[in-house]
């Protein structure tokens, strides 16, 4: 998958010469630091939900799913940097069997992070839709058993898909499948939003009587979705350009920003926990108690 994730390992010199745009290189220390922060923050989210029974509800389980996706994205960069460091120190044979296998596993983790984020955001959107328009039946529809089964199906599918995409990464249909999931998720959530808007206009009085937490959850989803699109869309565009116009100077100029696009992905994992904490008083209190070792009251 390296020919997609990092074009500069396979793009020939002709591409670089056709573009006047120099490659933007960011210090690996920045990537490593942001990745460590992303792992720790999302691990804090998981521990907060595990340790607090009042947070063990379907909504927070779906948030944990998104946190796991973010954590995998951060772990990808940490493991990649570690592998490169061992290779530079001579402990790993360049282009050897071990490096190739490890590289495929790490790439699978990266794809799993994107797929997990896409499906987690989609299921959060469906959960918010049911919360707002089927509030009375919500606890009968979204049970804990249903939540666990849904998450198991999602992660089983995402794991299998990520492995398949790495194995067949050199085929154009694989790339198209990989990149199409991003707009399909947006279309699905957009359809829910349009339907929610139309129903809201005809049920304005009913909507106004709903608990504020229901509407607040929908706003939180909107913020999460906006951050996800902003952070991941440049990389998805990079994959498409790398596949269909690698020799075009304009495409090569955009792809020179690859590390900047990668930085945005790492930042997504850092930003999401702040959104959870800012939008959820319960989760914010759980964070404070954990950080201050239960001294916070």
């Amino acid at each position: 998958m390296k020919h997609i994730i990092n074009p500069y390992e396979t793009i020939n010199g002709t591409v670089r010469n056709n573009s006047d745009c120099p490659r933007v290189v960011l210090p690996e220390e920045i990537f490593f630091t942001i990745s460590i922060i992303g792992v720790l923050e999302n691990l804090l989210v998981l521990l907060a939900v595990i340790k607090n029974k009042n947070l063990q509800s379907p909504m927070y389980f779906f948030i944990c799913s998104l946190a796991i996706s973010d954590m995998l994205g951060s772990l990808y960069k940490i493991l990649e940097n570690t592998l490169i460091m061992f290779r530079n120190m001579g402990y790993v044979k360049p282009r050897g069997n071990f490096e190739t296998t490890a590289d495929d596993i790490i790439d699978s983790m990266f794809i799993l992070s994107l797929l997990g984020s896409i499906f987690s955001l989609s299921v959060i959107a469906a959960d918010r839709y049911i919360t707002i328009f089927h509030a009375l039946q919500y606890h009968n529809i979204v049970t804990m058993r249903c939540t666990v089964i849904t998450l198991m199906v999602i992660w089983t599918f995402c794991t299998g898909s990520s492995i398949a995409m790495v194995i067949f990464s050199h085929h154009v249909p694989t790339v198209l499948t990989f990149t199409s999931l991003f707009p399909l998720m947006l279309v699905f959530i957009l359809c829910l939003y349009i339907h929610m808007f139309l129903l809201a206009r005809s049920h304005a009085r009913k909507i106004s009587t709903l608990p504020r937490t229901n509407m607040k959850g929908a706003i939180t989803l909107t913020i999460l979705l906006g951050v996800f699109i902003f952070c991941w869309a440049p990389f998805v565009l990079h994959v498409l350009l790398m596949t269909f116009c690698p020799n075009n100077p304009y495409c090569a100029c955009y792809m020179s920003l690859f590390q900047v696009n990668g930085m945005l992905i790492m930042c997504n994992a850092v930003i999401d926990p702040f959104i959870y904490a800012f939008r959820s008083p319960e989760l914010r209190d759980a964070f404070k108690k954990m950080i201050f070792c239960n001294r916070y009251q």
Side-chain angles (χ1 to χ4, degrees):
M1 197 78 178
K2 280 296 178 186
H3 71 289
I4 291 177
I5 293 181
N6 192 344
Y8 290 94
E9 295 206 6
T10 55
I11 291 181
N12 54 34
T14 305
V15 179
R16 297 192 191 95
N17 293 334
N18 286 340
S19 174
D20 294 329
C21 302
R23 180 187 179 189
V24 178
V25 180
L26 301 176
E28 286 296 327
E29 293 78 8
I30 295 180
F31 281 99
F32 197 77
T33 301
I34 294 178
S35 298
I36 290 291
I37 295 173
V39 170
L40 294 177
E41 285 185 357
N42 286 283
L43 185 59
L44 189 64
V45 173
L46 297 178
L47 291 175
V49 174
I50 292 173
K51 292 183 63 176
N52 293 271
K53 290 186 177 181
N54 60 318
L55 295 179
Q56 294 175 6
S57 63
M59 180 184 69
Y60 284 107
F61 275 28
F62 294 141
I63 287 178
C64 283
S65 178
L66 184 58
I68 292 173
S69 301
D70 288 337
M71 192 161 58
L72 287 173
S74 297
L75 282 173
Y76 153 79
K77 194 60 183 177
I78 294 173
L79 294 177
E80 183 187 57
N81 284 3
T82 302
L83 182 63
I84 293 173
M85 180 181 67
F86 284 152
R87 183 181 64 184
N88 293 340
M89 294 173 64
Y91 294 116
V92 177
K93 181 182 178 181
R95 306 295 180 182
N97 291 332
F98 176 80
E99 184 186 21
T100 301
T101 303
D103 189 55
D104 287 342
I105 294 174
I106 293 172
D107 287 344
S108 296
M109 185 180 297
F110 177 81
I111 299 172
L112 181 59
S113 172
L114 175 58
L115 296 180
S117 297
I118 288 174
F119 283 98
S120 294
L121 284 169
S122 298
V123 77
I124 290 174
D127 177 75
R128 293 300 87 197
Y129 177 87
I130 297 173
T131 301
I132 294 174
F133 294 104
H134 301 280
L136 297 179
Q137 296 83 25
Y138 176 81
H139 293 292
N140 294 326
I141 299 173
V142 187
T143 62
M144 288 301 298
R145 182 174 180 272
C146 177
T147 300
V148 172
I149 293 175
T150 299
L151 292 177
M152 288 177 62
V153 170
I154 285 175
W155 282 100
T156 300
F157 173 79
C158 290
T159 301
S161 298
S162 64
I163 295 172
M165 286 181 180
V166 169
I167 295 174
F168 301 103
S169 60
H170 288 80
H171 297 78
V172 172
T174 303
V175 177
L176 291 176
T177 301
F178 176 75
T179 54
S180 65
L181 290 173
F182 188 84
L184 285 176
M185 179 270 292
L186 298 182
V187 170
F188 170 73
I189 296 180
L190 181 61
C191 288
L192 284 184
Y193 270 53
I194 293 174
H195 195 210
M196 287 168 65
F197 174 75
L198 294 176
L199 286 177
R201 292 186 62 184
S202 60
H203 299 81
R205 182 173 298 178
K206 181 180 177 181
I207 297 289
S208 64
T209 61
L210 289 175
R212 292 186 59 186
T213 53
N214 290 5
M215 297 305 298
K216 191 174 183 179
I219 297 173
T220 301
L221 169 64
T222 304
I223 298 173
L224 288 170
L225 182 62
V227 172
F228 176 77
I229 294 172
F230 178 80
C231 293
W232 279 91
F235 172 78
V236 175
L237 178 59
H238 158 82
V239 173
L240 291 173
L241 297 181
M242 182 59 207
T243 303
F244 296 106
C245 61
N247 295 311
N248 185 290
Y250 294 103
C251 295
C253 189
Y254 177 83
M255 288 187 289
S256 68
L257 300 173
F258 168 75
Q259 289 200 358
V260 176
N261 297 338
M263 179 70 72
L264 288 175
I265 294 174
M266 299 300 106
C267 288
N268 184 42
V270 175
I271 295 173
D272 280 353
F274 280 104
I275 297 175
Y276 308 147
F278 179 74
R279 301 292 302 176
S280 172
E282 297 85 0
L283 198 55
R284 186 165 58 248
D285 290 341
F287 287 161
K288 290 178 179 179
K289 290 179 180 179
M290 291 177 62
I291 293 174
F292 295 102
C293 300
N294 294 321
R295 287 195 298 269
Y296 179 82
Q297 300 295 331

